[in-house]
């Protein structure tokens, strides 16, 4: 069965946990393994943290939207913000690149998102916002109880 | 998110992390951990991750930041008992060589072994 969810919240760091919990609940129907679940949660956390920290500088005013869609065993999640945008997407996606080293951001966010999802797309326009979309097929092994 | 910090030798501190370590949590605990480390004679941090149910790249930033603070004293870091997902995150970030599985006692022994050659 297919399903869809949209969650919007303010750019506050406490909402990072909220986004993870919502998406975790959304994919629960697919019976993901513990590792699949924790990897997907990590991807959500990276994308939402980026929107809050970089998109909006944690201003508590900007709105982050998380949209999740499930088609059979494939889940697509988009994390959207109308924040500052990314000047150079390919540079931002390089491992260890960060504009916030003073904040101890590791620069590993996009590498993790890319590694833990099947497909990752980043669309960004300077001063307009960023949309990060990732897709994952869940390889559910279903046990049939006779 | 909460943590326990315990000096296990004169130079080594064990930091036990519990709950979910994300950007929000790191911002809550970083200053406290950093202050505690600077007060003493710490050269080694053993991060016990066993009680941690979740970590994203913010955790990598926290670990790397403390490694930098200990650089002047040639500090050592051990990432004890990361989950399979954390293991991958540390590998991507180049922190793979500092991971180990075992008890805190084994981690302390390993630190002593390294220190004593």
């Amino acid at each position: 069965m297919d399903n869809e969810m949209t969650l919007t919240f303010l750019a506050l760091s406490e909402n990072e946990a909220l986004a993870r919990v919502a998406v975790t609940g959304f994919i629960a129907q697919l019976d993901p393994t513990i590792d699949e679940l924790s990897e997907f949660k990590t991807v959500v956390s990276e994308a939402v943290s980026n929107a809050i920290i970089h998109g909006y500088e944690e201003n508590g005013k900007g709105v982050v939207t998380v949209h999740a869609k499930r088609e059979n065993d494939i889940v697509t999640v988009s994390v959207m913000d109308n924040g500052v945008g990314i000047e150079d997407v390919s540079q931002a996606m390089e491992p260890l690149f960060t504009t916030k080293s003073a904040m101890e951001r590791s620069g590993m966010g996009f590498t993790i998102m890319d590694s833990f999802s099947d497909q990752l797309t980043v669309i960004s326009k300077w001063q307009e916002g960023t949309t990060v979309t990732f897709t994952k097929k869940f390889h559910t092994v279903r046990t049939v109880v006779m | 998110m909460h943590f326990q910090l315990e000096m296990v030798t004169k130079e080594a501190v064990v930091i036990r992390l519990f709950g979910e370590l994300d950007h929000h949590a790191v911002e809550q605990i970083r200053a406290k951990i950093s202050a505690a480390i600077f007060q003493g004679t710490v050269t080694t941090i053993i991060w016990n991750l066993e009680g941690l149910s979740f970590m994203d790249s913010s955790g990598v930033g926290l670990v790397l930041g403390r490694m930098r603070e200990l650089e002047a004293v040639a500090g050592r870091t051990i990432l004890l008992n990361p989950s399979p997902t954390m293991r991958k995150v540390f590998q991507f970030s180049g922190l793979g060589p500092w991971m180990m599985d075992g008890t805190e006692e084994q981690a302390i022994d390993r630190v002593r072994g390294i220190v004593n050659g």
Side-chain angles (χ1 to χ4, degrees):
Chain A
M1 199 178 67
D2 297 348
N3 196 4
E4 223 169 308
M5 170 199 85
T6 306
L7 175 73
T8 60
F9 50 84
L10 294 178
L12 292 168
S13 65
E14 64 187 71
N15 289 328
E16 293 154 9
L18 173 74
R20 292 197 299 272
V21 168
V23 174
T24 299
F26 184 79
I27 63 173
Q29 291 298 318
L30 289 166
D31 286 333
T33 63
I34 290 168
D35 289 346
E36 280 177 332
L37 193 60
S38 78
E39 290 186 10
F40 206 68
K41 266 172 82 171
T42 311
V43 178
V44 172
S45 200
E46 299 295 345
V48 170
S49 300
N50 272 355
I52 292 172
I53 300 168
H54 298 281
Y56 294 121
E57 302 264 352
E58 296 180 63
N59 64 13
K61 291 177 189 148
V63 174
V64 181
T65 301
V66 176
H67 178 255
K69 197 168 144 189
R70 178 162 66 82
E71 292 161 297
N72 297 315
D73 53 357
I74 296 171
V75 177
T76 304
V77 176
S78 292
V79 177
M80 291 161 270
D81 69 66
N82 299 109
V84 72
I86 303 169
E87 249 184 314
D88 184 341
V89 172
S90 55
Q91 185 184 41
M93 291 181 80
E94 281 171 24
L96 301 173
F97 177 83
T98 178
T99 54
K100 298 223 184 283
S101 56
M103 272 184 70
E104 298 189 348
R105 303 303 306 163
S106 66
M108 293 307 294
F110 279 123
T111 305
I112 290 167
M113 288 184 242
D114 196 32
S115 305
F116 286 168
S117 63
D118 297 334
Q119 209 187 334
L120 176 71
T121 324
V122 182
I123 296 166
S124 190
K125 211 163 176 194
W126 185 238
Q127 302 299 348
E128 285 185 23
T130 303
T131 298
V132 173
T133 303
F134 46 91
T135 302
K136 170 101 183 154
K137 182 176 163 65
F138 286 86
H139 303 273
T140 311
V141 182
R142 297 193 185 278
T143 314
V144 181
V145 181
M146 302 298 277
Chain B
M1 171 75 214
H2 70 283
F3 71 94
Q4 293 171 346
L5 200 141
E6 188 188 335
M7 291 297 300
V8 287
T9 72
K10 245 185 250 170
E11 295 86 23
V13 63
V14 170
I15 302 173
R16 301 182 193 100
L17 299 171
F18 301 92
E20 304 212 322
L21 189 64
D22 63 3
H23 155 248
H24 181 73
V26 166
E27 292 301 309
Q28 314 284 314
I29 66 170
R30 183 201 289 117
K32 287 178 204 158
I33 290 178
S34 201
I37 291 166
F38 273 118
Q39 273 169 10
T41 49
V42 174
T43 61
T44 299
I45 302 177
I46 297 164
W47 299 90
N48 188 344
L49 308 170
E50 213 173 317
L52 204 57
S53 55
F54 174 82
M55 186 200 81
D56 65 17
S57 70
S58 309
V60 173
L62 179 72
V63 170
L64 284 174
R66 306 296 73 68
M67 285 174 106
R68 252 174 243 131
E69 287 175 350
L70 292 184
E71 242 166 31
V73 291
R76 295 177 194 285
T77 299
I78 289 184
L79 303 165
L80 189 63
N81 300 326
S83 74
T85 302
M86 292 171 205
R87 192 171 285 278
K88 288 184 188 173
V89 169
F90 285 131
Q91 290 283 8
F92 299 148
S93 314
L95 292 173
W98 289 275
M99 298 189 293
M100 75 171 271
D101 288 323
T103 62
E104 287 180 5
E105 288 69 28
Q106 287 170 324
I108 295 160
D109 284 349
R110 177 158 144 184
V111 170
R112 287 205 175 113
I114 296 167
V115 172
N116 300 335

